[in-house]
Amino acid sequence: MCGIVGYIGDKDATPILLEGLRRLEYRGYESAGVAILTNGDISIAKEPGKLGELEQALTRKPISGTLGVGHTRWATHGLPNKMNAHPHTDFTGRLAMIHNGVIENYQAIKTKLQASGYEFTTETDTEALVNLISEFYQNGHTLEEAVRSALSQVEGTFGIVLISKDDPDLLIAARRGSPLVVGMGEGEFVVASDVAAIISHTKDVTYLDDNEVAVMSRNELVIKTIDNLEVNKRVEKISFDLDKIEKSGYDHFMLKEIMEQPQTIEDAMRGRLLLEEGTAHLGGIEHEIDSLLYAPKMLFSACGTSWHAALIAEYMLEEWVRTPVEVEYASEFRYRDPVIERGSVAFVISQSGETADTLAALKESKRKGAKVLALCNVVGSTIARESDAGVYLHAGPEIGVASTKAFTSQVTVCSLITLLLARMRNIGVSKGVEIVNEMKTLPGKVQSILDHHSVIKEIANEFHKSQNFLYLGRGYNFPVALEGALKLKEISYIHAEGYPAAEMKHGPIALIDENMPVVVIATKDSIYEKVITNIEEVRARRGRIIAIATEGDEEMKNHADHIIYVPATLEFLTPILTIIPLQLLAYYIAILRGCDVDQPRNLAKSVTVE
Ligand code: AGP
């Protein structure tokens, strides 16, 4: 979703803002713009389309200055055109502001301001807010006071950064619901919606919390609440290096992230597997072990890929820990007044840790008295900070919009939690040791699937012109079917559906003919025979089978048109292996169709609006 960068210092702001916006491109956007204070006036350049359009505009008509803001916009109010692109100025042209989030009462603000003679030129909610700030500013408030006063009247979410042509030594940022982080350099500050835009300047950062305002001059940073109370913030260090957010020789971030999975799965387990005791050690949730062990129910809320990981957690925890688990789309959970039994534990899963619906589900769970545990990838993210406890995925920055390595890390962490609780409840040391030993082999097994990527490439070659795909799986691999279908539709724009294999005959079977590729996850597990029956039902209708099967399964050759083999593992760990070929299949098909896999149309990496 929208990318935000602001700069104050002694360097030229334009290249700094553009580089920051480039690093935030992965979040998804449709237009871009900058506003720079130049010789006492605000110069603005903005263009619809990709950042390259803005860069060209700035080459044609350069602007420079040492104070400025830059933005990539993912449209919520109004078309993604030049007029609606950020930054937006107020009616007088004194202020320029960028905004991420949604101002819910913007219409009321706009109507009131119009009645006082303000004129509006865009369809955005942001323009209402910058003019509200302007009204206070013109009535004798300082810029900081004007921001705080205006924000106290605003309903909705915002991450804003603004400058004034009358305050050349001032950059102001504020947040509620949309992430903002301030990077602290020597005589300069870079504020952004994501550390990716800051890391090349400094590793010292402080994260703004909701209802906080950062007031930056070249030599000082003061953080206050909207109610004017000064806050002492912790300075934190960004824990990764620049190469983690670069393609490092790969054509796309998505491919790089798929290929990184042997390492990221290893990282998710690092220091967390105890071989002798046959269990897992998870420092982040240790103090909540009793809550987990005695919970009458566990509730999981998440969105998209993270929701698929939660479904796998449901299968794992119910099988091994025997605690009832409920999994819900965070967007549904937040509004349906869910019943949360006393003592229940609520899990939220989120790669970004900023997904608005998941954050709302977290807050609703807390409000209803549940302990909330978060599984997040982004360190210091809002969800990570607002939960009672949690486990980090340690997958490193995920830049490709389509989530890949975060998913396998999420499932790995869920299997660690399952192992930890199962060992305290139902299973003995020898079973625990067997599981630990098997988990240790997973990175190598993932590597061996990646090494055979050419088989998957050939299959992609044959099917990349298909209009529809069906993905089928059962048990632990039903969520994998959903995730495989999501990957394909996200990046190749092919219609794809994931289904529990047996459910197919209750409807989707009507779609099957000789043109329908059906991807079936059919590993040698407790329901293998049942899946074979489902495959035969597809074949009887001339559907074309692409099977994900277990190495050594020669029998599969009698059932499938194409086979991608994965190594054998324990049944509950299979999703960590079976998803890998499906990620690669989606990737190669999208490439053959000429799609922009890292920044697919209409999608945002972290969805910070409802
Ligand atoms: C995954 O490929 C998607 N882009 C999307 O479904 C994503 O998983 C979802 O928006 C949740 O994001 P989160 O994990 O950052 O909360």
Side-chain angles (χ1 to χ4, degrees):
M1 215 131 273
C2 308
I4 279 188
V5 196
Y7 177 78
I8 184 166
D10 57 6
K11 302 191 185 107
D12 186 4
T14 309
I16 293 172
L17 297 177
L18 288 175
E19 189 224 301
L21 294 179
R22 190 57 82 201
R23 300 221 182 259
L24 298 180
E25 270 198 299
Y26 76 95
R27 297 169 69 96
Y29 70 102
E30 295 133 340
S31 61
V34 293
I36 311 273
L37 188 69
T38 321
N39 303 324
D41 221 335
I42 292 176
S43 304
I44 294 189
K46 48 189 188 179
E47 291 295 327
K50 290 292 182 189
L51 206 50
E53 306 292 331
L54 176 66
E55 284 168 336
Q56 279 178 22
L58 284 165
T59 311
R60 287 192 298 273
K61 198 169 169 222
I63 50 179
S64 64
T66 55
L67 173 68
V69 292
H71 190 266
T72 45
R73 173 175 187 253
W74 188 88
T76 60
H77 293 67
L79 290 172
N81 54 24
K82 186 164 179 162
M83 172 184 81
N84 292 325
H86 296 216
H88 289 294
T89 51
D90 69 320
F91 174 48
T92 65
R94 287 169 85 193
L95 305 178
M97 187 177 92
I98 52 176
H99 167 224
N100 182 11
V102 173
I103 306 299
E104 285 165 7
N105 57 339
Y106 84 100
Q107 199 54 58
I109 295 171
K110 189 168 171 176
T111 309
K112 204 168 145 208
L113 291 171
Q114 277 169 329
S116 321
Y118 280 72
E119 282 169 21
F120 287 78
T121 53
T122 80
E123 300 164 299
T124 66
D125 52 339
T126 305
E127 198 185 9
L129 177 55
V130 71
N131 276 303
L132 184 61
I133 295 172
S134 170
E135 180 165 70
F136 285 105
Y137 196 35
Q138 288 177 73
N139 287 337
H141 287 61
T142 64
L143 186 57
E144 180 206 321
E145 287 164 356
V147 169
R148 286 193 286 97
S149 303
L151 293 182
S152 63
Q153 296 189 1
V154 157
E155 286 162 25
T157 55
F158 52 81
I160 57 165
V161 188
L162 80 161
I163 58 174
S164 160
K165 68 176 184 179
D166 299 326
D167 282 299
D169 192 28
L170 209 49
L171 179 68
I172 296 194
R175 78 158 267 179
R176 182 189 296 154
S178 297
L180 277 184
V181 53
V182 182
M184 287 161 275
E186 284 289 313
E188 62 178 6
F189 294 98
V190 186
V191 58
S193 46
D194 184 325
V195 290
I198 293 177
I199 190 172
S200 63
H201 305 285
T202 175
K203 283 194 160 187
D204 296 325
V205 295
T206 192
Y207 294 90
L208 289 194
D209 283 304
D210 276 352
N211 297 312
E212 287 180 352
V213 181
V215 183
M216 291 156 275
S217 63
R218 285 178 177 74
N219 294 311
E220 196 186 19
L221 163 67
V222 178
I223 299 181
K224 293 181 172 178
T225 63
I226 285 173
D227 304 326
N228 201 20
L229 298 173
E230 212 166 309
V231 207
N232 272 330
K233 304 285 290 184
R234 242 175 1 127
V235 177
E236 302 185 34
K237 278 253 178 256
I238 302 174
S239 59
F240 57 84
D241 294 315
L242 204 53
D243 64 316
K244 284 278 184 295
I245 52 169
E246 288 180 338
K247 286 189 199 150
S248 312
Y250 285 97
D251 289 342
H252 299 95
F253 282 110
M254 184 180 176
L255 184 59
K256 177 186 177 221
E257 287 156 8
I258 291 173
M259 294 299 178
E260 274 173 0
Q261 288 176 104
Q263 188 59 50
T264 50
I265 292 167
E266 179 101 55
D267 290 343
M269 298 189 292
R270 191 177 305 285
R272 291 171 168 173
L273 282 174
L274 305 178
L275 181 59
E276 262 179 44
E277 295 155 57
T279 188
H281 162 76
L282 294 163
I285 56 169
E286 224 154 49
H287 56 291
E288 297 297 349
I289 282 294
D290 280 353
S291 313
L292 280 162
L293 277 178
Y294 302 110
K297 198 187 236 179
M298 295 181 191
L299 305 145
F300 281 76
S301 309
C303 303
T305 290
S306 299
W307 183 76
H308 297 153
L311 284 180
I312 296 170
E314 176 183 22
Y315 280 83
M316 288 179 177
L317 289 161
E318 291 206 342
E319 180 186 353
W320 291 91
V321 187
R322 309 302 296 158
T323 301
V325 176
E326 215 175 277
V327 180
E328 191 141 4
Y329 286 116
S331 54
E332 288 299 308
F333 182 91
R334 63 184 294 188
Y335 286 121
R336 77 171 180 86
D337 197 13
V339 177
I340 301 188
E341 238 177 290
R342 194 190 168 95
S344 293
V345 172
F347 280 91
V348 287
I349 306 187
S350 175
Q351 186 285 128
S352 61
E354 301 294 347
T355 303
D357 286 323
T358 310
L359 179 60
L362 179 158
K363 289 182 176 165
E364 185 61 15
S365 304
K366 268 193 167 176
R367 203 171 291 127
K368 288 193 149 53
K371 278 258 177 275
V372 181
L373 308 189
L375 311 188
C376 288
N377 191 35
V378 177
V379 175
S381 56
T382 309
I383 290 175
R385 286 181 294 136
E386 297 229 350
S387 52
D388 295 304
V391 184
Y392 278 121
L393 307 178
H394 297 312
E398 190 178 66
I399 308 285
V401 162
S403 186
T404 52
K405 63 177 181 173
F407 176 74
T408 44
S409 296
Q410 286 165 344
V411 179
T412 303
V413 166
C414 290
S415 59
L416 290 170
I417 295 172
T418 303
L419 171 62
L420 171 68
L421 297 179
R423 273 288 285 123
M424 297 179 85
R425 271 265 180 91
N426 311 323
I427 64 169
V429 66
S430 59
K431 188 71 194 168
V433 169
E434 182 194 334
I435 294 173
V436 171
N437 274 326
E438 184 54 31
M439 289 190 75
K440 288 187 165 187
T441 68
L442 290 173
K445 288 180 175 175
V446 169
Q447 187 61 56
S448 79
I449 302 169
L450 295 171
D451 291 344
H452 293 99
H453 62 273
S454 55
V455 177
I456 303 165
K457 221 175 193 171
E458 277 164 30
I459 298 174
N461 227 358
E462 184 167 336
F463 291 100
H464 72 278
K465 293 204 173 119
S466 299
Q467 296 301 314
N468 299 286
F469 265 75
L470 201 54
Y471 286 70
L472 304 177
R474 299 186 75 155
Y476 285 104
N477 282 307
F478 156 54
V480 176
L482 296 180
E483 175 61 8
L486 178 67
K487 287 290 86 83
L488 187 71
K489 66 186 129 191
E490 276 189 299
I491 60 168
S492 73
Y493 318 139
I494 294 175
H495 170 242
E497 296 210 39
Y499 256 88
E503 187 64 19
M504 172 196 63
K505 55 187 173 295
H506 299 285
I509 199 163
L511 298 169
I512 294 172
D513 60 17
E514 64 279 10
N515 298 316
M516 176 68 102
V518 182
V519 179
V520 188
I521 305 138
T523 43
K524 278 269 186 189
D525 55 27
S526 56
I527 37 176
Y528 174 75
E529 300 300 340
K530 305 274 178 208
V531 178
I532 294 292
T533 307
N534 301 138
I535 289 180
E536 286 308 315
E537 290 160 358
V538 172
R539 274 160 55 88
R541 276 102 197 150
R542 299 197 302 278
R544 297 166 72 196
I545 300 287
I546 303 163
I548 312 299
T550 306
E551 271 170 16
D553 181 2
E554 293 299 313
E555 166 68 14
M556 187 57 77
K557 293 182 178 152
N558 299 322
H559 302 286
D561 300 282
H562 298 273
I563 305 175
I564 306 167
Y565 283 111
V566 298
T569 187
L570 296 172
E571 188 165 342
F572 83 106
L573 300 174
T574 49
I576 298 170
L577 303 183
T578 49
I579 191 57
I580 307 288
L582 304 191
Q583 295 169 344
L584 283 170
L585 185 65
Y587 173 79
Y588 290 128
I589 288 178
I591 294 297
L592 287 163
R593 291 167 73 95
C595 298
D596 183 350
V597 293
D598 281 339
Q599 292 163 42
R601 69 183 180 205
N602 305 339
L603 289 179
K605 181 64 183 164
S606 83
V607 184
T608 51
V609 295
E610 298 193 31

